Structure formats: structure tokens, C-alpha cells
Amino acid sequence: MFGAAVIGCGLVSKVHLDALKRLESDGHVSLEFTCDVIEERAKQSMKKYGFKHYTTHYEDVSRSKNVDLAFVLLPVSSHHKVSIDLMNSGKNVLVEKPMALNTHECQEMIESMKKNKIVLYVGHVKRKNEAYRLAKVYVDKHISPVYLIKSCERWYGANHFLMNLWRANPSLSGGGIWMDIGCHYIDIFRYIVGEMKNIYLMCNMFPEDILKQIKRYEKEWQQKVKDSYRNMEEFESYIKKIRLEGNSLSSIEFCNGALGGIDVGWCTKSPEMYYERTEIFGHGGIIIIESHPFYQPISPRIKIYLENNGGKWNESFNLPFVVDAFYQQAKDFIKAVENRDCSSAFDGKRAIDIVQAGYLSFAKKQPIEIENNGDDTF
Ligand SMILES: NC(=O)c1ccc[n+]([C@@H]2O[C@H](COP(=O)([O-])OP(=O)(O)OC[C@H]3O[C@@H](n4cnc5c(N)ncnc54)[C@H](O)[C@@H]3O)[C@@H](O)[C@H]2O)c1
């Protein structure tokens, strides 16, 4: 049985805590520590999920002899230091995506993983969404070679910024939507199609639009502003100064000749606030995936058209809920620890390499060649 700790009890922690609770019931983990610099959050999570201790200092987790698995669910700027400190204390770490602020930090995290002979796992949870897992199986068995893969994901930007102030500050977040959501699809594209050769990225941002979104929902969102321990004036001044991309469109060329497009944005104004669709076209057929926000207990949809199946569309119903991917991810993290499988850390770094190549392309206004000679051996 592995002892587990959660560091960072904010927005995403609920889905990880739910997953850990299920793993405790399955007899796989004991719930040792919750940790947050905001004491109330750490204490509430401890009580609600039945952990043994809470703390406001992650060093207590490092010192604990009972913790084997640490879930680092912090603002991106803290991933590097906190993960390395935990790994130096012999803890296996699951760190949320994006792995770190830049390639250099990711490399240092990998060095620490190697030196300490433990596992660093990066939370690219879309791989654990059953629709994307099935897509990979069908591509490998029936559809490959792929000619084209396209993904689109849209969020309501104002909501995003209201939840977490750090997201609006590039030195804490590492970037805007391309970093935050683009990295998910870079990982999915590599998982399903393979390595990339070139990328061209375009981005824009309309802060006044985010403010308009806020005004429309101002009343309902007072509580969110309060929960995020700041007032509307502070939020407004932040957003007006914002220098992050809110929409990004990329064109990708894969090493195998396939083309890809990632289209992610904080620009939707529709009441449901979310849209996610991935299309895959290949020699043997077509796959269309429609999914939902990470926290929803709703099944994703996958439609598959196979040439070798009489050219018919088939749709899978009743797939595991989108949110179940976090349970699958936690289980796979444990499996990786048992087998000393370190591949997730290399995939996490690769996503950041490509995020950065995208930003370079945007700055230079030209396609950037992606280097493919990275160290991915243990
Ligand atoms: N996989 C997904 O679908 C998904 C979804 C949402 C967020 N995320 C990722 O999860 C991470 C956290 O995002 P979030 O939305 O939960 O952020 P958040 O701001 O809601 O939560 C972060 C928490 O960490 C606490 N914290 C900050 N520094 C700390 C420290 N040094 N020690 C202990 N606690 C500290 C904060 O008080 C806060 O409660 C980010 O990397 C984000 O990109 C992933």
C-alpha cells in the first residue's frame, strides 16, 4: 500500500482527491497529508476526504516516512522547485500539466528523477480519457497512416481568470491558452500520431472582451471573486494589463507527413462555456471525438468510420465519464511506480519543448523546426 499526499488544494484538487478516495477504498493507498498555503483549504480537504494530517508546509510531506506518492497540484511556477524537493526526499511525484515553465526546468526535473531513482509522472490526463484511448487503439489497428488530426477546445476566458489569478501572470503560468490547453493536445497528437517536425503558431488576445464577459456575469461571479481572495477592481487592473494569448491556432507537420491543427481559445460566449472536438482522418477511416470539461461526470462521445467495416459509422456510448480519467491516471501512476516506468516525464517535457517552439514561431512569425533528438532514456 502506498501513502499519498496532495499538495495544492485548489480547483483541480477535487478530481484528484475523489480519485484517491476511490483508490483508498480499493486498498491501494493510504491518505496521509493534504497541504495548501491557505490553511483552511488544506484542513477542509483533510476532513472531507479523511486524510490523517494537514499542513501548510510541503516540507512536512517531504519529511514524512509514510508518504510514497505526492500529487503536486500547484501553479505552474511552483512545479519545478516543489517536485524536485519532494523527489530529493525520495517521493514519487505526479505533477499536473504543464510540467513546468520551460524546457530547462523540465530537464532539471528529469535529472532529479534519474538521480533519485524514483518516478516523475506528468498529469496529461486526456490520454486517460477513454475516447482518446480508444482512438489510439483504432488508429494503430485500422486507420494508420493518419493524414490529418485537428483539435478544438474553447473555454469562457473570464471564468478561467476569475478562478486563478496566477493564470493571468506569465511568470507564474508560463503562458496563456497555448501553454495551458495547447499542451494537452500536443501530448494527444504525439500519443496518437507520433513526433512532430514543424510548427507555425498564431495567437491573439482581447482583454476588453474578457472584461465584457465579466460584466455580463458580474453578479453571479461575486462569490468567485471572493473565493479567489481579491476584489473586482484588482481583477480589472490585472486583465487590462494582460499580455497573454487568449486564442491560438497552430499548423503542425508530423515526421510521418501527417498534418495537425490545434485551435484553442478563451473566447467562447456561449452559456455552456465549453467546446471540445477532435477529428482524425487516415487511410483506414475517420474518428470524431466530442468531450466535456475535465470535472464532468459525463461520457465523452466517439464516432468511428472504418473502411474495412463496410464504410459505416459506429458510435460508442456509455464510455467512462470524462472525470474518471483522473482515477485511471492515479492508477497508472501507481503502476508506473511499481514498474519504474519513467516515460511520462519525457512526454511531459516534450510537450513543453513543443509549446516553446510554438511561442518562438509566434515571435518570429515563421514556422519552427522541432528538434527530435531529446534524451528519453532512463
Ligand atoms: N488536468 C487538467 O485538466 C487540469 C485542470 C485544471 C488545472 N490543472 C493544472 O493543475 C495545476 C493547479 O491548477 P488549479 O487550477 O488547481 O490552481 P489553483 O490556484 O486553484 O490551486 C492551487 C493551490 O495551490 C496552493 N498553493 C500555491 N502555492 C503553494 C505552495 N507552495 N504550497 C502549498 N500550496 C500552495 C494555492 O493556495 C491553491 O489553493 C496547474 O498546473 C493547472 O494547469 C489541470
Side-chain angles (χ1 to χ4, degrees):
M1 167 121 46
F2 292 101
V6 166
I7 297 157
C9 301
L11 176 71
V12 82
S13 68
K14 181 183 178 306
V15 290
H16 288 279
L17 287 161
D18 286 342
L20 281 169
K21 193 73 197 163
R22 277 172 73 182
L23 283 169
E24 185 202 31
S25 313
D26 298 346
H28 293 310
V29 298
S30 62
L31 304 179
E32 299 293 332
F33 266 97
T34 56
C35 168
D36 200 294
V37 284
I38 300 173
E39 185 174 359
E40 202 43 39
R41 291 188 182 182
K43 197 170 166 181
Q44 271 187 10
S45 299
M46 176 196 77
K47 278 192 186 160
K48 181 170 172 197
Y49 290 91
F51 279 72
K52 292 180 189 146
H53 316 279
Y54 80 90
T55 176
T56 52
H57 299 282
Y58 72 84
E59 292 82 355
D60 292 335
V61 174
S62 297
R63 278 191 289 271
S64 167
K65 293 206 165 27
N66 298 326
V67 174
D68 310 289
L69 314 172
F71 287 64
V72 175
L73 317 177
L74 300 175
V76 185
S77 55
S78 300
H79 289 184
H80 169 258
K81 177 169 173 26
V82 174
S83 298
I84 287 182
D85 286 352
L86 287 160
M87 287 191 281
N88 283 340
S89 314
K91 311 302 179 203
N92 298 283
V93 170
L94 182 148
V95 63
E96 258 296 353
K97 54 52 63 179
M99 180 171 172
L101 289 175
N102 54 51
T103 292
H104 176 70
E105 286 192 354
C106 295
Q107 189 55 42
E108 289 190 346
M109 290 160 82
I110 286 177
E111 295 309 326
S112 172
M113 170 183 77
K114 288 179 175 175
K115 183 184 85 186
N116 292 300
K117 298 190 172 26
I118 42 82
V119 169
L120 172 64
Y121 201 90
V122 181
H124 279 294
V125 74
K126 275 203 197 294
R127 285 187 185 220
K128 315 298 174 186
N129 175 319
E130 186 61 9
Y132 287 100
R133 197 195 66 77
L134 274 178
K136 163 83 176 149
V137 170
Y138 274 85
V139 164
D140 288 352
K141 273 199 181 155
H142 305 285
I143 291 179
S144 188
V146 168
Y147 310 136
L148 179 72
I149 179 166
K150 279 186 71 182
S151 284
C152 175
E153 183 172 318
R154 306 209 184 291
W155 287 86
Y156 202 88
N159 185 39
H160 212 73
F161 287 121
L162 271 180
M163 291 290 204
N164 323 88
L165 196 53
W166 60 265
R167 286 181 189 275
N169 180 341
S171 63
L172 302 180
S173 63
I177 189 95
W178 174 242
M179 176 77 160
D180 185 36
I181 304 294
C183 75
H184 273 305
Y185 292 99
I186 290 169
D187 183 64
I188 281 292
F189 280 23
R190 286 188 61 249
Y191 173 56
I192 293 176
V193 183
E195 289 301 343
M196 300 171 183
K197 199 161 120 187
N198 285 296
I199 185 159
Y200 182 63
L201 182 74
M202 289 191 290
C203 304
N204 68 14
M205 178 70 179
F206 296 96
E208 62 282 6
D209 192 52
I210 301 275
L211 281 174
K212 222 165 79 193
Q213 294 174 24
I214 298 278
K215 299 279 181 223
R216 189 182 310 160
Y217 289 95
E218 196 162 3
K219 202 157 160 254
E220 295 153 49
W221 286 0
Q222 291 300 330
Q223 190 55 42
K224 278 190 187 173
V225 173
K226 222 169 122 221
D227 286 349
S228 306
Y229 45 91
R230 58 186 186 271
N231 56 39
M232 191 59 88
E233 289 69 40
E234 188 190 347
F235 179 69
E236 276 207 36
S237 77
Y238 234 95
I239 291 292
K240 277 183 185 153
K241 282 187 274 174
I242 213 162
R243 293 291 171 269
L244 291 168
E245 77 284 359
N247 302 289
S248 70
L249 264 178
S250 66
S251 300
I252 290 161
E253 187 188 355
F254 289 84
C255 296
N256 65 7
L259 298 180
I262 299 174
D263 165 1
V264 284
W266 278 321
C267 61
T268 180
K269 293 182 173 54
S270 62
E272 67 273 13
M273 299 187 184
Y274 187 87
Y275 176 84
E276 175 178 341
R277 182 179 166 97
T278 292
E279 299 172 350
I280 304 166
F281 298 86
H283 187 84
I286 304 168
I287 297 178
I288 310 283
I289 292 171
E290 286 179 343
S291 196
H292 304 276
F294 65 92
Y295 48 82
Q296 285 195 344
I298 302 179
S299 297
R301 290 177 62 195
I302 182 166
K303 273 172 52 176
I304 303 174
Y305 177 94
L306 293 181
E307 290 284 339
N308 66 7
N309 186 28
K312 279 198 311 259
W313 282 101
N314 279 307
E315 181 159 356
S316 290
F317 296 98
N318 303 322
L319 294 183
F321 294 156
V322 175
V323 70
D324 288 356
F326 288 88
Y327 173 66
Q328 191 55 48
Q329 176 174 260
K331 276 203 325 195
D332 287 353
F333 173 37
I334 291 175
K335 238 187 269 168
V337 169
E338 286 168 343
N339 299 327
R340 287 281 306 289
D341 174 358
C342 296
S343 54
S344 173
F346 297 107
D347 287 326
K349 173 175 178 292
R350 203 75 195 109
I352 299 302
D353 293 346
I354 298 166
V355 163
Q356 290 205 297
Y359 281 135
L360 184 61
S361 156
F362 176 53
K364 292 192 160 187
K365 305 255 174 282
Q366 65 183 50
I368 295 292
E369 196 173 326
I370 295 165
E371 287 175 26
N372 277 302
N373 54 0
D375 168 16
D376 60 356
T377 52
F378 191 48

